[in-house]
Amino acid sequence: MEKTRKTTLSDVAALADVSPITVSRALRDPEKVSQDARARITRAIAQLGYVPNPAARALASGRTDVVGVIIPSVSNNVFADVLRGIYDGLQDSPLGVQLGTTRYSPSTEEQLVRVFLSQQPAGLIVAGHDQSPAARALLQGAECPVVQIMEVGPQPIDLVVGLSHYQAARDGAQHLLDMGYKAPAFLGAQMDPRSQRRLAGFRDCLIAAGMGADDPVVTTPEPSSVSLGCRLFADLLATRPRTDAVLCNNDDLALGVLFEAQRRNIRIPDQLGICGFNDHEMMSAAEPPLTSVETDRYEMGRAAIRQIRDRLAGKGHPRGHAVDLGYRLVPRVSTARRD
Amino acid sequence: MEKTRKTTLSDVAALADVSPITVSRALRDPEKVSQDARARITRAIAQLGYVPNPAARALASGRTDVVGVIIPSVSNNVFADVLRGIYDGLQDSPLGVQLGTTRYSPSTEEQLVRVFLSQQPAGLIVAGHDQSPAARALLQGAECPVVQIMEVGPQPIDLVVGLSHYQAARDGAQHLLDMGYKAPAFLGAQMDPRSQRRLAGFRDCLIAAGMGADDPVVTTPEPSSVSLGCRLFADLLATRPRTDAVLCNNDDLALGVLFEAQRRNIRIPDQLGICGFNDHEMMSAAEPPLTSVETDRYEMGRAAIRQIRDRLAGKGHPRGHAVDLGYRLVPRVSTARRD
DNA sequence: TTGACGTATGACAGCGCTGTCATACATGAT
DNA sequence: ATCATGTATGACAGCGCTGTCATACGTCAA
């Protein structure tokens, strides 16, 4: 490993005929440096191809330009959309992203929180409200802004951007009843805490409608997929053949249900109503188009970053501030039963 | 910002009654420290809740425990799978991930390469072979292992894990001809360099079959989606009504074609053959199941990390080593034309 | 003229860790 | 007894930057 002796601040300073501190200031706070010096410094930087060393900056200042993002998984397209929002929100800022995935394990999450906080990040984004007590304590003591995303809930750690999964699912279930379906069921995979809340919303809707005796629910802890939607729907039909509608925990499952119904010549929406969750782009393209509960994952990421940037700029919201992004039921043909 | 004066190596050293250097060694190279000292140090660390400062380590050693990953987009499920492989490959290692997205822009990519390299990463993973000359030069001069993923190609920068998109698409096109389709077309979105290579494979297959005169290709630079598949297919039918098969640049488009065909009562596979690309999980679940060219995105991520870890451990492959993961045509009902 | 104040710049020390070299002692071969 | 070798540990300096305080020089009101 031959060291090429990277150019440093001092090299730039020497060439620009100022002290290193002035260069440092010119980089971070150009206002504070005279036009003249700034011009010479800029030229010297270009000439030497100087690139600052983030580790040195972090060590000296105790801060970094990295936002930690801790989510359960990258292959869930919900989080892919959130990440896209995060990256777009970070445009034209010096901030970068360090990403960690928990695989839905609270202990992994706790470890990631510990590691990320040790890097003294500019901010931290974590998914959900179900951190372990130790992780919560760590986050509570963090010196940087912390944003919990995906869900609004009681007892925020710091900032929150999300929606009520309970209400969203409850509205989805109500929609099925409103459209005249008599025996709706719930299909769920990957039953993480948010999925549990959605299930609770479904159940409470049925109870409120006087249909609480039965509990038409098929779930599995397996990760969600379209194939799994096919299988769960098959299981559902085997045990509850009179089911006439399904509220799916997410859109992948809903798509699987559609395919399985097509295979069995079950007519959508007359014999079976289908409602998904999140309103992924494909839902409107399907044949027939599938009803879903729209959530704005992209905006969730953007808003989270906005919270952090505002806070860093000193004009942010105080602790406990929550943004409820809401949701929107998007009725399509798949639940438009003709009576 | 009240500073709580983090506990440092020296604090641990004092408590364990050794010098700071011994603590440092105990952390990085436990073999080199006596049983006895190690036990005392471990106890002291636990007692003080000591967490190392990565910035200080990076500054002193000139290295970090971060692997930079530069990909075009996170919302493309191809890259989501790759990322999953990367994270799984990083299990039980001290390495973390810093993720950057280029949005398919070479200049953004170049900037990310610059920024990431300035952090002196443990390794760098970049998608594709189409970096700008400046980015290539930077990567060539990098002191860390660099892995180009997705695609095998000429003139690797360092290490490569990928497959031939040209060949894969050519085989997909040949499959359509083999199944008796007479007028296959190509549908493409997001025409990045890899897509261009796939298109070239399609074209060369037709030329080899003596069908080169016509050029049945509909593409758009828009990002891919299921809805876009519907639209491109509609466009295709409008201009080339005699088309009897489509090779899609990816699975999203293929799904869109399926839905649009269903809407128009076009029978799959007899009136229309459909072949996707990547073989995303949903392809086998569709009705009818959709033929696709399988690529192992997950393994691509894992293998890339394996290359880096091996290299860091000193037992890696030399510069220029390429792993061709291949591909596999998975024929399903959507191309099983009955003659 | 004097002092108060604002602006541009610099000196100094130190952030927490590791690379390098040195030291102390034990072991075994000669 | 002598030396080479190996093992466990430590001293020292410094990685590249920034926080803090100090300095030099102007400007303006009294």
Side-chain angles (χ1 to χ4, degrees):
Chain A
M1 222 198 286
E2 64 291 287
K3 348 215 79 156
T4 332
R5 191 40 197 77
K6 286 267 200 123
T7 60
T8 71
L9 257 193
S10 315
D11 301 331
V12 175
L15 184 58
D17 198 32
V18 292
S19 79
I21 294 78
T22 305
V23 179
S24 171
R25 262 193 290 262
L27 254 39
R28 288 172 299 150
D29 220 343
E31 321 281 287
K32 302 256 177 199
V33 174
S34 67
Q35 291 279 358
D36 187 48
R38 215 187 315 171
R40 292 204 312 279
I41 290 171
T42 311
R43 207 169 327 117
I45 287 178
Q47 192 174 328
L48 297 172
Y50 168 74
V51 182
N53 178 330
R57 183 205 294 266
L59 181 58
S61 70
R63 313 184 320 90
T64 64
D65 283 344
V66 173
V67 174
V69 177
I70 300 179
I71 58 177
S73 140
V74 276
S75 46
N76 179 329
N77 58 39
V78 169
F79 292 110
D81 290 333
V82 173
L83 276 180
R84 206 161 39 83
I86 288 175
Y87 279 104
D88 282 3
L90 251 24
Q91 286 289 86
D92 64 84
S93 94
L95 269 30
V97 171
Q98 177 152 21
L99 185 62
T101 59
T102 68
R103 305 133 183 280
Y104 298 93
S105 148
S107 66
T108 305
E109 180 174 45
E110 183 179 320
Q111 201 198 320
L112 281 170
V113 167
R114 209 181 296 281
V115 171
F116 278 29
L117 282 181
S118 82
Q119 335 241 28
Q120 302 167 257
L124 211 48
I125 296 177
V126 298
H129 289 248
D130 302 277
Q131 288 76 27
S132 72
R136 264 194 87 87
L138 284 168
L139 291 169
Q140 217 112 35
E143 293 190 358
C144 66
V146 174
V147 187
Q148 291 171 292
I149 58 170
M150 304 315 291
E151 203 175 359
V152 294
Q155 307 180 336
I157 293 173
D158 184 1
L159 299 159
V160 174
V161 181
L163 58 99
S164 165
H165 289 250
Y166 171 89
Q167 269 305 332
R170 188 161 176 166
D171 278 17
Q174 188 60 50
H175 170 71
L176 292 176
L177 297 181
D178 291 348
M179 299 308 283
Y181 293 102
K182 301 302 179 201
F186 182 93
L187 251 42
Q190 185 79 73
M191 294 303 289
D192 60 62
R194 280 174 296 288
S195 299
Q196 299 288 1
R197 245 95 66 188
R198 298 205 274 267
L199 173 52
F202 171 82
R203 281 189 169 132
D204 285 359
C205 174
L206 291 211
I207 290 170
M211 305 165 70
D214 199 14
D215 192 38
V217 170
V218 179
T219 66
T220 162
E222 287 176 71
S224 181
S225 72
V226 178
S227 326
L228 189 58
C230 300
R231 255 186 294 144
L232 290 182
F233 181 54
D235 290 355
L236 177 67
L237 287 186
T239 54
R240 287 193 163 70
R242 303 199 36 234
T243 300
D244 67 353
V246 285
L247 179 65
C248 297
N249 187 40
N250 65 44
D251 292 334
D252 283 352
L253 296 183
L255 192 56
V257 170
L258 171 62
F259 287 139
E260 189 61 28
Q262 288 177 345
R263 245 184 296 280
R264 295 170 182 238
N265 293 311
I266 296 171
R267 292 189 315 281
I268 313 285
D270 292 342
Q271 285 177 274
L272 181 77
I274 303 179
C275 178
F277 198 95
N278 283 324
D279 199 29
H280 188 269
E281 166 269 329
M282 68 191 170
M283 300 301 270
S284 64
E287 172 56 29
L290 297 171
T291 297
S292 195
V293 181
E294 181 189 312
T295 60
D296 198 342
R297 291 91 64 197
Y298 177 81
E299 181 55 25
M300 200 127 55
R302 277 203 82 111
I305 292 297
R306 201 177 308 127
Q307 302 285 323
I308 289 176
R309 292 183 73 170
D310 285 354
R311 178 71 71 79
L312 293 178
K315 53 184 174 126
H317 295 285
R319 277 206 169 209
H321 181 81
V323 176
D324 187 337
L325 254 29
Y327 54 87
R328 193 167 62 95
L329 186 96
V330 183
R332 297 203 182 88
V333 178
S334 74
T335 53
R337 172 179 245 176
R338 289 157 293 190
D339 277 325
Chain B
M1 224 197 284
E2 62 294 281
K3 349 214 81 156
T4 332
R5 194 36 198 77
K6 286 266 200 124
T7 61
T8 71
L9 258 193
S10 316
D11 301 331
V12 176
L15 184 57
D17 198 31
V18 294
S19 79
I21 294 80
T22 305
V23 178
S24 172
R25 263 194 290 262
L27 254 39
R28 287 173 300 151
D29 221 343
E31 322 280 289
K32 303 255 177 200
V33 174
S34 67
Q35 290 279 359
D36 188 47
R38 213 187 316 169
R40 291 203 312 278
I41 290 170
T42 310
R43 208 169 325 119
I45 287 177
Q47 191 174 329
L48 296 173
Y50 167 72
V51 182
N53 179 330
R57 183 206 295 265
L59 181 57
S61 69
R63 314 185 318 91
T64 64
D65 283 344
V66 174
V67 174
V69 177
I70 299 179
I71 57 178
S73 139
V74 276
S75 45
N76 179 328
N77 58 39
V78 169
F79 293 110
D81 289 334
V82 172
L83 276 180
R84 208 161 38 84
I86 288 175
Y87 279 103
D88 283 3
L90 251 24
Q91 286 289 86
D92 64 83
S93 93
L95 270 29
V97 171
Q98 176 151 19
L99 185 62
T101 60
T102 69
R103 304 134 183 280
Y104 298 92
S105 148
S107 67
T108 307
E109 180 175 44
E110 183 178 320
Q111 202 198 320
L112 282 170
V113 167
R114 209 180 296 280
V115 171
F116 278 29
L117 282 180
S118 82
Q119 333 241 29
Q120 303 170 259
L124 210 49
I125 295 177
V126 298
H129 290 247
D130 301 277
Q131 289 76 27
S132 73
R136 265 194 86 87
L138 283 168
L139 291 169
Q140 217 112 34
E143 294 190 358
C144 65
V146 174
V147 187
Q148 291 170 293
I149 58 170
M150 305 315 290
E151 202 174 1
V152 294
Q155 307 180 336
I157 292 173
D158 183 2
L159 299 159
V160 174
V161 181
L163 59 100
S164 165
H165 289 249
Y166 172 88
Q167 269 304 333
R170 189 160 176 167
D171 278 17
Q174 188 59 51
H175 169 71
L176 293 177
L177 297 183
D178 291 346
M179 299 308 283
Y181 294 103
K182 303 300 180 202
F186 182 93
L187 252 42
Q190 184 79 76
M191 294 303 289
D192 60 61
R194 281 174 295 288
S195 299
Q196 299 288 2
R197 246 94 67 185
R198 298 205 274 267
L199 173 52
F202 171 82
R203 281 190 170 131
D204 284 0
C205 174
L206 291 211
I207 289 170
M211 306 164 68
D214 198 15
D215 192 38
V217 171
V218 178
T219 65
T220 162
E222 287 176 70
S224 181
S225 72
V226 178
S227 326
L228 188 57
C230 300
R231 255 186 294 144
L232 290 183
F233 182 54
D235 291 354
L236 176 68
L237 287 187
T239 53
R240 286 193 164 70
R242 301 198 38 233
T243 300
D244 68 353
V246 285
L247 179 65
C248 297
N249 187 40
N250 65 43
D251 292 334
D252 283 352
L253 295 183
L255 192 56
V257 171
L258 171 63
F259 287 139
E260 190 60 30
Q262 288 177 347
R263 243 184 297 281
R264 294 168 182 240
N265 292 312
I266 296 172
R267 290 188 319 277
I268 315 285
D270 291 342
Q271 285 177 275
L272 181 76
I274 303 178
C275 180
F277 198 94
N278 282 326
D279 199 28
H280 188 267
E281 167 270 329
M282 68 190 171
M283 299 301 270
S284 64
E287 171 55 28
L290 297 171
T291 296
S292 195
V293 181
E294 181 190 309
T295 61
D296 199 342
R297 292 91 64 197
Y298 176 82
E299 181 55 24
M300 200 127 53
R302 278 201 82 113
I305 292 297
R306 203 178 307 125
Q307 302 284 325
I308 289 176
R309 292 182 71 170
D310 284 356
R311 177 70 72 77
L312 293 178
K315 54 185 173 122
H317 295 286
R319 276 204 170 211
H321 181 82
V323 176
D324 188 337
L325 254 28
Y327 55 88
R328 193 168 62 96
L329 186 96
V330 183
R332 297 205 181 88
V333 177
S334 73
T335 52
R337 172 179 245 177
R338 289 157 292 189
D339 277 324

